[in-house]
Amino acid sequence: MELVFLGLLILLMIVSLSSGFPVAFALPGSAIGAIGLAALCGYLFAGDPGAYFAQDGPVQWLTAGVTNFRSLYWQVERDTLIAIPLFVFMGIMLQRSKVAEDLLVAMAQLFGPVPGGLGISVVFVGALLAATTGILGATVIAMGLISLPAMLRNNYSKPLASGIICASGTLGQIIPPSIVLIILADQLANAADQARTLRTADYKEATGEFTMPAALDITSASAGDMFMGALVPGLILVGLYMLYILITATLKPGAAPPVPYAGKYDRQFVYKIGIALIPPLSLIFAVLGSIVTGIATVNQAGAIGAAGAIVMGGYRLFETNKHRYTPLLITIGSGLIILVLHKSFDLNIKNISSQRDLIGVILAAAAVLAFIGAIVWSGWRTFKINDTLVGVMSDTAKTTSMVFIILIGAAMLTAAFRGFGGEQLVREFLTGLPGGFWTQFIVVMAVIFLLGFFLDFIEIAVVVVPIVAPILLADPAANITAVWLGVMIGLNIQTSFLTPPFGFALFYLRGVAPIKVKTTHIYKGAVAFIGLQLVGLTITGFFPGLVNYMPNRTFLTAETAPPPVNPKLQFCIENRVFSEYANDETSIRNRIARARANDFSVLPDQYRQPLIASFDLAENTFDLVAHVNVVAAELAAYSIEFKPLHADMRELRHQLKSIHNLLQAAQKKHDRISRNAATTRATRAQLDSLETSIFNLQQELKAAEQIIPSNWEEASATYKQLATAEKNARRAYRRNVDAAYQSLQNTLLVIGQGNDLARVETPLLDLRLHIEPGHIEAAASIENPELAIEKIKSVESQLNELAGIAEIKSKLSKSRRALKGDAPDFTPDFNDAKEFHREAIDLLNLELAWRSRATALLDELNQYDNAIKTNIGLRLQPRLTQSQAKDIAACQSAHRDISLEF
């Protein structure tokens, strides 16, 4: 019966949407109606409100709804959604203040004389406008009102002009910063968590291990990752559009003729172009650049965009020349001053330790006040002139409210869909398709493409993505990233918005186009750009590095980048260093031999013996690498034979699991009805039906178990043996290189801190004044031992920052404890304190003596360190170099099949 109510849920949603009922209320209304009817029918006919639910019941559904509501508005982890009103505000402000219109006019004057130049200008401005707004309807309408009359006035082909505007308007779906990317990132973050749970369960079932290795984990997505991942595909689309217009103008000059500029190319022309082009471009680059470079989060970048839009709107609306650009100049000047001060001073108020630091903070505070004053000044202008600020705020509130209400409604709808077993049906359908991941992916993309005819991008992102994304992300054969999936979905949604006869962009343009532009012109013009979008979608699908590289590179070069020892980086790191070993083995061996030839007799045994042993370990690296290569080659060769059998067995295992889940659900429902409901004719018939289903499922389970391949156990054991050998070989290699480099690191650190240790000598010697009798300070300490204890603690804190002096610190600690005990009647023992202190001084002198002699080794050891820290010692470096990060990012950008691990 749950399938009946699942169908009712979908029917209610289709009817409400097709009737023009607001989406924000159609989604939750459909869910509430279907849930209410199911609960009522269950109560009336089965005596149990949850009888007609596949999983959970109405109470659990209501609880899930409350949880979804709280997670949307109160969870700090989902604060990415705060960026939505900021970016919406930025786009609407630029439109209402006519900054976008000035940009289009300037670009048309600049590129107009080129064949197709006006159309290229429209694509360029459309991309920028899309990047600021991110709302499809607003962009298409604005471009239709601004640029379509200009193109028609200059004899552009009506289909071509219409297609350019529609295609340019849809760029807002994929070019960052985009609202659709923010929403997709939010939904995909949750989907990645669910997929991680599915993959972990799959790994546990396949291997029997409870913990899945970090290297097999799913790569999630943030809004910043989505922005960076979508940047290159968006630019590819822009390039394809411009190339198509240029080719069309060349082959058919009458379709896109050049538009000569009537004025002069003089200083005034350059000024007009610059003032129209540079500020909005600077704003876009500031917003995206701050995200890409890691300077700002997505929310902070949105605030930068909103503030910049206010400043630009302020000078554009203010017609008087006097002081027109003063707020802009103040903003730029104060911003530059803040950057300079940030580089020159420590601006953290807590760290003020000198007059210079105080001056830096005061200057920065003055610059910040000037910056805020300029924004307030610009905001006052937009408020007073044509009530622009009020209109922008009103439109921003409407758009943001619509987005968030739809998010809540979609969460309710998704919970209802799961409650009726829809998610399980979708999973079984997709996983049952032949062809694996790519068949599933193509089916999902086709469904999203068709839904784009009827639903806006927000509904698709919040209704469809939470259902299908966990299934696609969990597949270890494709092992895709959430960023790549999100960008592909964004490109797909964008394509569907252009497709006749239901494409939203076509409807928006039809509403503002003049009568002489027929609907057939709009449809005809859109077809070519649909083809270009499909080309862009195909390119992105076949080359995932176009999406994954920028997020990976930014992550690996950021201040918070993981160290090279991170398990998820090992596959790519070892690919890189193994290649370096193969190319530079001779030079590395020579460098090891040269380092070994030094006289290390000045070093204490605790450093000399591990260091000498580390040279043997370094030499052994090449043999271990050769062994890894041999066992990896054996595993790869056997994997070719084993993979088809493994794929068949995985499919069979999923089938068995599906049958088992259905059997458990049927038994659970049978137990619940028989326990809670009174025996009536209706309940008896339902119990009989469930018992029949249980029997059939049991027989189906037995039949499926009979078709397990006879050679599966032997083949699986062979693969596990080879895989274990390869893992052990890599583990031995990693332990070896870590040990080989760790001893060198320790020795260099201890010798290099000789001067720092020497600076502690005087404070350590001065402790005698507080401990040994005969000194004035010692007399005070005898009266109040806390004085001496504090002095010892001060020296201990200095020693804590140094390595290799555990014995010295131990003696000082004993000296301090001799002056303070835990017992209430404890008497300070200054004689013991003095003795321990003298022992600490003796140890310090010995330490300083050998470290001073060992400084002669530093040059040679540093040369050795420079030779091996990018290969043997790479895992123990604090972070990757820029060159290494680029290589590792490129390696990780490809999707690697890890299905044999499951």
Side-chain angles (χ1 to χ4, degrees):
M1 285 296 292
E2 58 269 15
L3 296 181
V4 174
F5 290 101
L6 178 63
L8 178 64
L9 173 69
I10 297 173
L11 180 63
L12 285 173
M13 183 180 67
I14 293 173
V15 170
S16 57
L17 290 175
S18 60
S19 64
F21 201 69
V23 175
F25 303 108
L27 299 182
S30 302
I32 293 171
I35 290 289
L37 283 173
L40 179 62
C41 292
Y43 177 77
L44 293 177
F45 301 113
D48 178 14
Y52 299 140
F53 290 82
Q55 49 181 304
D56 303 329
V59 176
Q60 290 84 352
W61 174 83
L62 183 61
T63 303
V66 173
T67 302
N68 286 329
F69 182 84
R70 293 182 71 252
S71 68
L72 193 64
Y73 285 98
W74 279 284
Q75 277 190 9
V76 177
E77 292 81 2
R78 299 189 70 178
D79 66 342
T80 299
L81 297 177
I82 297 173
I84 291 177
L86 296 173
F87 285 122
V88 171
F89 177 92
M90 177 176 71
I92 297 176
M93 175 60 76
L94 292 179
Q95 283 187 341
R96 289 230 175 181
S97 61
K98 298 184 179 181
V99 172
E101 184 176 343
D102 293 346
L103 182 61
L104 177 62
V105 172
M107 292 300 298
Q109 292 174 349
L110 187 62
F111 290 106
V114 179
L118 181 57
I120 292 174
S121 302
V122 171
V123 171
F124 182 81
V125 176
L128 292 181
L129 193 59
T132 58
T133 307
I135 300 293
L136 175 75
T139 307
V140 174
I141 291 172
M143 295 300 296
L145 292 172
I146 298 170
S147 60
L148 183 58
M151 285 194 286
L152 296 179
R153 198 165 49 244
N154 288 282
N155 300 318
Y156 264 63
S157 165
K158 295 183 181 67
L160 179 62
S162 302
I164 291 172
I165 292 173
C166 290
S168 301
T170 58
L171 287 171
Q173 307 301 308
I174 198 63
I175 291 184
S178 164
I179 293 176
V180 67
L181 294 177
I182 297 174
I183 295 175
L184 281 171
D186 179 69
Q187 298 299 316
L188 286 168
N190 291 334
D193 291 338
Q194 296 177 41
R196 188 174 293 114
T197 302
L198 293 174
R199 185 176 284 187
T200 303
D202 195 8
Y203 183 81
K204 177 182 176 183
E205 184 180 357
T207 63
E209 299 180 13
F210 288 91
T211 304
M212 184 176 68
L216 305 180
D217 205 353
I218 292 167
T219 304
S220 187
S222 66
D225 292 337
M226 291 293 294
F227 283 2
M228 288 179 283
L231 185 60
V232 174
L235 294 177
I236 288 175
L237 276 182
V238 172
L240 288 172
Y241 293 169
M242 291 182 174
L243 183 62
Y244 169 73
I245 295 169
L246 191 60
I247 292 174
T248 301
T250 303
L251 298 178
K252 298 180 180 179
V259 182
Y261 176 56
K264 295 181 180 180
Y265 292 100
D266 53 10
R267 184 180 300 177
Q268 185 66 22
F269 174 79
V270 174
Y271 172 78
K272 287 172 58 181
I273 296 295
I275 202 65
L277 185 60
I278 293 175
L281 279 178
S282 300
L283 179 62
I284 297 299
F285 290 146
V287 171
L288 294 181
S290 62
I291 297 172
V292 171
T293 57
I295 296 175
T297 64
V298 174
N299 294 341
Q300 292 165 346
I304 293 171
I310 290 175
V311 173
M312 284 193 283
Y315 75 71
R316 175 59 182 83
L317 294 169
F318 194 70
E319 300 293 343
T320 306
N321 287 328
K322 187 178 181 181
H323 300 303
R324 181 179 185 182
Y325 297 108
T326 303
L328 175 64
L329 296 176
I330 293 175
T331 304
I332 295 173
S334 57
L336 292 176
I337 291 172
I338 292 170
L339 288 176
V340 171
L341 292 173
H342 177 68
K343 294 291 184 181
S344 306
F345 297 89
D346 183 359
L347 299 181
N348 190 332
I349 297 177
K350 296 180 180 179
N351 296 337
I352 295 178
S353 58
S354 64
Q355 188 72 18
R356 182 177 183 275
D357 292 339
L358 181 61
I359 292 173
V361 171
I362 293 173
L363 292 175
V368 169
L369 289 175
F371 187 86
I372 295 173
I375 294 175
V376 172
W377 189 355
S378 299
W380 178 253
R381 285 180 175 180
T382 60
F383 175 73
K384 295 297 290 183
I385 301 173
N386 301 327
D387 281 338
T388 303
L389 183 61
V390 174
V392 172
M393 294 290 287
S394 176
D395 287 351
T396 301
K398 291 176 183 176
T399 303
T400 305
S401 300
M402 176 197 70
V403 171
F404 277 81
I405 291 173
I406 290 175
L407 285 171
I408 290 294
M412 297 172 68
L413 183 73
T414 303
F417 189 81
R418 290 184 177 131
F420 291 127
E423 186 179 35
Q424 183 66 27
L425 287 175
V426 171
R427 183 178 294 113
E428 290 175 3
F429 170 73
L430 290 177
T431 55
L433 291 172
F437 168 83
W438 287 107
T439 302
Q440 301 170 18
F441 178 72
I442 291 171
V443 169
V444 168
M445 295 295 278
V447 171
I448 292 175
F449 181 83
L450 295 174
L451 288 176
F453 295 168
F454 312 101
L455 300 179
D456 197 358
F457 71 87
I458 299 177
E459 294 91 82
I460 296 175
V462 298
V463 174
V464 180
V465 172
I467 295 171
V468 300
I471 303 169
L472 297 176
L473 290 173
D475 192 318
N479 196 30
I480 60 173
T481 63
V483 176
W484 180 83
L485 180 61
V487 171
M488 291 295 290
I489 291 174
L491 285 168
N492 190 8
I493 295 173
Q494 179 184 352
T495 303
S496 65
F497 285 164
L498 272 183
T499 308
F502 305 109
F504 280 14
L506 311 180
F507 290 148
Y508 290 133
L509 182 59
R510 176 68 278 171
V512 297
I515 298 176
K516 61 181 179 180
V517 177
K518 299 179 181 178
T519 303
T520 54
H521 291 149
I522 298 175
Y523 288 176
K524 183 178 178 182
V527 170
F529 288 93
I530 293 170
L532 294 175
Q533 288 184 341
L534 292 175
V535 170
L537 185 65
T538 304
I539 292 173
T540 306
F542 275 103
F543 300 100
L546 296 174
V547 174
N548 294 329
Y549 176 72
M550 281 296 292
N552 286 335
R553 176 174 172 174
T554 303
F555 174 60
L556 294 176
T557 56
E559 291 295 327
T560 56
V565 76
N566 186 291
K568 297 193 73 171
L569 304 179
Q570 297 313 300
F571 176 81
C572 291
I573 282 179
E574 287 173 5
N575 280 350
R576 188 183 195 278
V577 297
F578 283 14
S579 175
E580 187 172 340
Y581 292 142
N583 296 330
D584 302 329
E585 179 177 351
T586 302
S587 63
I588 295 173
R589 285 185 182 273
N590 291 338
R591 187 68 257 183
I592 296 171
R594 182 175 170 180
R596 190 200 295 271
N598 285 276
D599 180 11
F600 297 109
S601 59
V602 297
L603 300 179
D605 288 345
Q606 66 188 86
Y607 298 109
R608 183 178 65 254
Q609 292 177 358
L611 181 61
I612 293 175
S614 73
F615 299 133
D616 294 329
L617 294 173
E619 288 277 4
N620 192 41
T621 298
F622 303 99
D623 294 334
L624 292 174
V625 169
H627 180 56
V628 170
N629 289 333
V630 169
V631 295
E634 292 176 354
L635 178 63
Y638 185 76
S639 297
I640 297 173
E641 173 189 345
F642 178 67
K643 194 169 184 177
L645 177 63
H646 179 268
D648 292 340
M649 190 58 199
R650 269 181 56 82
E651 186 176 344
L652 180 59
R653 191 166 68 237
H654 288 154
Q655 182 182 349
L656 291 170
K657 184 178 180 180
S658 176
I659 297 171
H660 183 71
N661 289 339
L662 291 174
L663 181 60
Q664 278 190 327
Q667 289 174 336
K668 182 179 178 181
K669 182 174 289 189
H670 181 278
D671 294 342
R672 185 176 69 242
I673 294 175
S674 60
R675 183 175 60 252
N676 297 334
T679 304
T680 63
R681 182 177 299 178
T683 56
R684 185 66 260 170
Q686 190 175 9
L687 289 172
D688 290 342
S689 175
L690 285 171
E691 289 168 0
T692 302
S693 298
I694 291 171
F695 176 79
N696 291 336
L697 289 170
Q698 289 172 340
Q699 296 302 312
E700 190 176 350
L701 188 63
K702 291 179 181 178
E705 290 172 347
Q706 296 299 319
I707 60 175
I708 295 177
S710 58
N711 64 333
W712 165 248
E713 293 294 336
E714 181 182 355
S716 178
T718 302
Y719 176 81
K720 288 180 181 178
Q721 182 181 0
L722 292 172
T724 301
E726 195 237 11
K727 289 177 183 176
N728 289 338
R730 291 188 182 276
R731 194 176 293 119
Y733 159 78
R734 292 165 188 169
R735 285 198 300 263
N736 179 84
V737 294
D738 289 352
Y741 193 69
Q742 185 68 63
S743 299
L744 175 64
Q745 270 191 323
N746 293 340
T747 305
L748 283 172
L749 179 63
V750 171
I751 298 175
Q753 289 182 342
N755 292 332
D756 296 329
L757 184 60
R759 283 192 285 270
V760 184
E761 184 178 15
T762 299
L764 182 62
L765 292 173
D766 288 346
L767 289 179
R768 290 179 301 182
L769 303 176
H770 301 276
I771 297 175
E772 297 183 8
H775 298 284
I776 298 175
E777 291 86 350
S781 297
I782 292 173
E783 293 293 330
N784 184 10
E786 287 293 332
L787 294 175
I789 291 172
E790 287 301 318
K791 294 294 183 181
I792 295 174
K793 284 183 177 179
S794 175
V795 176
E796 283 181 310
S797 66
Q798 297 178 55
L799 291 174
N800 285 336
E801 300 176 1
L802 304 176
I805 51 171
E807 292 186 22
I808 300 175
K809 290 191 292 186
S810 175
K811 295 299 181 181
L812 273 183
S813 178
K814 289 179 180 179
S815 178
R816 175 171 48 81
R817 287 198 296 270
L819 300 178
K820 180 180 181 179
D822 296 330
D825 57 347
F826 179 80
T827 301
D829 191 337
F830 278 87
N831 288 327
D832 281 354
K834 179 181 70 174
E835 186 63 31
F836 287 129
H837 174 249
R838 287 181 175 177
E839 291 177 4
I841 292 174
D842 292 340
L843 290 172
L844 177 66
N845 291 331
L846 291 174
E847 197 74 21
L848 289 173
W850 79 257
R851 292 194 189 197
S852 176
R853 295 192 301 273
T855 53
L857 297 171
L858 273 179
D859 184 60
E860 192 66 35
L861 289 179
N862 280 326
Q863 290 183 37
Y864 176 54
D865 178 53
N866 291 331
I868 68 169
K869 69 181 180 181
T870 60
N871 40 70
I872 294 174
L874 178 57
R875 279 170 46 86
L876 296 186
Q877 298 302 316
R879 59 185 299 118
L880 296 167
T881 65
Q882 288 287 330
S883 174
Q884 291 167 346
K886 292 176 184 178
D887 289 347
I888 304 305
C891 172
Q892 289 199 304
S893 297
H895 296 151
R896 186 167 60 92
D897 184 354
I898 58 172
S899 60
L900 291 179
E901 300 285 343
F902 292 81

